[in-house]
Amino acid sequence: MKYLECAQITELDVELQSGIDVGDYCVQGRLEIYSCKLASSEKRLASSLDKQLVQDLGAAEAEGWNQSISPASASPLGSVNEVHTRKLLINMILTLNNTFADYDFRDLKPEDFVREASMEMVMNSVNSKMSRVDDATNSEFCTRLWGALTDEMSLRECEIYSYVADLDDDALSIGKIWSVNYFFYNKRLKKLAFFACWVKSKSRSRSMEGMEDGDELDMDSDGEMEFDMEDQ
C-alpha cells in the first residue's frame, strides 16, 4: 500500500494527530489515503494472508461453515471465494497495520468488518459525532473532510466499510470514550481512504499519569474509571 500525498488530507490528518481541544475532552484520529498497489515489503504478508484465507475457507466448507470464515452469502465483504474480496480484506488489514504500527491486525476476518448502508448515513454519523468540534473551534472540520475526500476519492463511487473494534484490546478502543472508523474504497481509482476518530477524556489522561506516580484512580462499582460526556 503506497501512502498518497494530498495537501487537504494531510492538513486534516495533522489536526487529528495533534488533537483538537474540546473543553474537557480531546478529539484525535487519523486520515490517510493509500494506493491499492502493494509495496514490495508487503507482498510476502499479503500472499501469506491470502493462502490462509483460502485454507480457512476450504476447512469451513468441509465442516459446514462452522469455522471462522463465513459462507459467501454471509461475508460483509462479499464472497471469500472471489479474489477481489480477499484483496479488499488484505488491503484493509495492511492499512490498519500501517496506521497503528504498534498493533497487528493480520488475524482479522471478513466478519470483523461491516459494509455501511449508504454514504448519507456515514456522513450524518460523523457530522453528529464531530459537531462539538465545529462548535468549539469554528474550523468547519466536517465540511473540509467531506470536500477533501470527494476531491480525492470520488466518494459517490466508493464502497464504505467499518472495522468492528475489539473493545478489550484494540487501538480504536483502549482509553477511548468513543471511536468511529471508515474505509472508503474506490475500485475504479484503486484507492483506499481510511478515516478514524476518537475522543479521550483529559481528566482520565491526567489520572493515568498520576497513576504512574503512585496515585489511585476513582473507580465506580464495576471497577471502571468514571467519566461522563454529553452527546456521546
Side-chain angles (χ1 to χ4, degrees), residues 43-199:
K43 290 182 179 179
R44 178 176 295 181
L45 175 57
S47 177
S48 174
L49 291 173
D50 187 65
K51 289 179 180 178
Q52 187 61 52
L53 284 166
V54 172
Q55 290 175 4
D56 289 350
L57 179 62
E61 288 178 328
E63 297 185 21
W65 303 109
N66 288 323
Q67 300 297 315
S68 58
I69 290 292
S70 304
S73 60
S75 169
L77 308 185
S79 172
V80 185
N81 285 302
E82 298 292 334
V83 173
H84 165 74
T85 300
R86 300 198 301 274
K87 283 185 176 180
L88 174 59
L89 172 62
I90 291 168
N91 285 341
M92 290 194 289
I93 289 173
L94 293 174
T95 297
L96 288 168
N97 278 347
N98 287 334
T99 303
F100 303 106
D102 293 335
Y103 294 82
D104 188 350
F105 295 88
R106 72 180 65 196
D107 292 331
L108 296 184
K109 305 300 181 186
E111 54 267 33
D112 292 313
F113 297 85
V114 295
R115 182 167 181 172
E116 299 296 332
S118 71
M119 175 64 65
E120 287 72 19
M121 291 180 64
V122 169
M123 293 180 71
N124 288 339
S125 176
V126 172
N127 290 346
S128 176
K129 291 285 189 184
M130 298 295 287
S131 62
R132 294 185 63 180
V133 170
D134 284 342
D135 291 344
T137 63
N138 296 315
S139 64
E140 297 186 337
F141 182 91
C142 290
T143 299
R144 291 186 294 136
L145 171 67
W146 301 125
L149 285 174
T150 296
D151 290 345
E152 296 298 321
M153 295 296 298
S154 298
L155 276 183
R156 296 297 172 182
E157 299 179 17
C158 289
E159 299 170 8
I160 309 174
Y161 300 90
S162 295
Y163 161 57
V164 182
D166 182 342
L167 296 179
D168 295 323
D169 183 18
D170 197 284
L172 287 165
S173 58
I174 296 177
K176 279 73 170 179
I177 296 175
W178 58 254
S179 69
V180 295
N181 73 87
Y182 297 102
F183 294 86
F184 302 89
Y185 172 58
N186 189 310
K187 184 178 181 180
R188 177 180 64 83
L189 297 177
K190 298 180 180 180
K191 292 164 68 174
L192 184 68
F194 178 62
F195 169 64
C197 183
W198 56 84
V199 165

